[in-house]
Amino acid sequence: MQLTLQHAKIDAHISVMREPLHCKSESLLNDAERLLELKNYSRRIGQMLDEYVHEQQCSLLLKATRILGDSLEEVCAIHEQNAKLIAQHRHFDALLNDANLTLDRQWLAEVRAQFDRLCACFERQSAAEREFYAQYSTIIFPAGAATD
């Protein structure tokens, strides 16, 4: 249940960032308060991702590899997607925090593009988890216990 809650919080934070980053106007360039708010959301997402991946690797994936072996394709896919997601978030966060250096339309376009890449990484990571759960939840949790 804890992993599901953490995943939902990450998803919620990403959703909150979507509207201000994708509004048609470029008002974000002139709104220091809103920009600071986005930076804070991004920082929290980074912290939550680090905690989530650590918890997942120390509990669910450790248990799965003990039962099913360490070369399981779905477990490898989750590890790979987690690494990509964290790297993409760090890239996005660094670019967002570079706002102090260059706050122009080109910067905003790149931040939007990096955010879209982050969202796509999050979706691929979520899909890898869904595939894992669909295939192995009854083996790892035979009594129907929560899958996390």
Side-chain angles (χ1 to χ4, degrees):
M1 186 75 127
Q2 185 62 24
L3 283 175
T4 302
L5 180 60
Q6 288 173 318
H7 193 272
K9 285 180 181 179
I10 294 167
D11 187 43
H13 276 67
I14 288 172
S15 293
V16 166
M17 294 181 75
R18 196 169 272 119
E19 188 275 324
L21 284 172
H22 284 297
C23 73
K24 299 265 186 238
S25 75
E26 295 174 355
S27 62
L28 184 60
L29 294 174
N30 301 315
D31 191 343
E33 185 176 318
R34 194 162 214 185
L35 187 58
L36 179 60
E37 185 178 293
L38 287 174
K39 289 178 183 182
N40 287 333
Y41 270 103
S42 182
R43 182 184 46 77
R44 285 192 298 267
I45 288 170
Q47 291 168 341
M48 287 187 289
L49 280 173
D50 288 342
E51 291 171 14
Y52 179 77
V53 168
H54 177 75
E55 172 95 15
Q56 186 183 58
Q57 289 174 343
C58 290
S59 61
L60 176 67
L61 297 180
L62 183 64
K63 185 175 185 177
T65 55
R66 243 190 343 257
I67 295 169
L68 303 166
D70 62 356
S71 63
L72 191 65
E73 184 177 320
E74 290 81 3
V75 171
C76 294
I78 290 173
H79 284 299
E80 180 181 321
Q81 291 305 320
N82 283 344
K84 288 179 180 180
L85 179 60
I86 287 174
Q88 181 59 42
H89 174 266
R90 288 193 175 132
H91 186 71
F92 167 75
D93 192 59
L95 184 62
L96 185 63
N97 283 295
D98 277 350
N100 299 334
L101 304 175
T102 169
L103 209 75
D104 58 18
R105 289 179 180 160
Q106 183 179 357
W107 170 84
L108 183 58
E110 183 61 24
V111 165
R112 287 173 173 164
Q114 289 301 323
F115 180 74
D116 290 344
R117 289 183 192 107
L118 174 64
C119 291
C121 275
F122 185 69
E123 287 303 314
R124 286 189 299 273
Q125 187 270 351
S126 297
E129 287 181 359
R130 282 190 300 274
E131 180 65 24
F132 170 80
Y133 286 130
Q135 296 293 325
Y136 300 105
S137 62
T138 56
I139 296 169
I140 296 174
F141 307 102
T147 56
D148 58 0

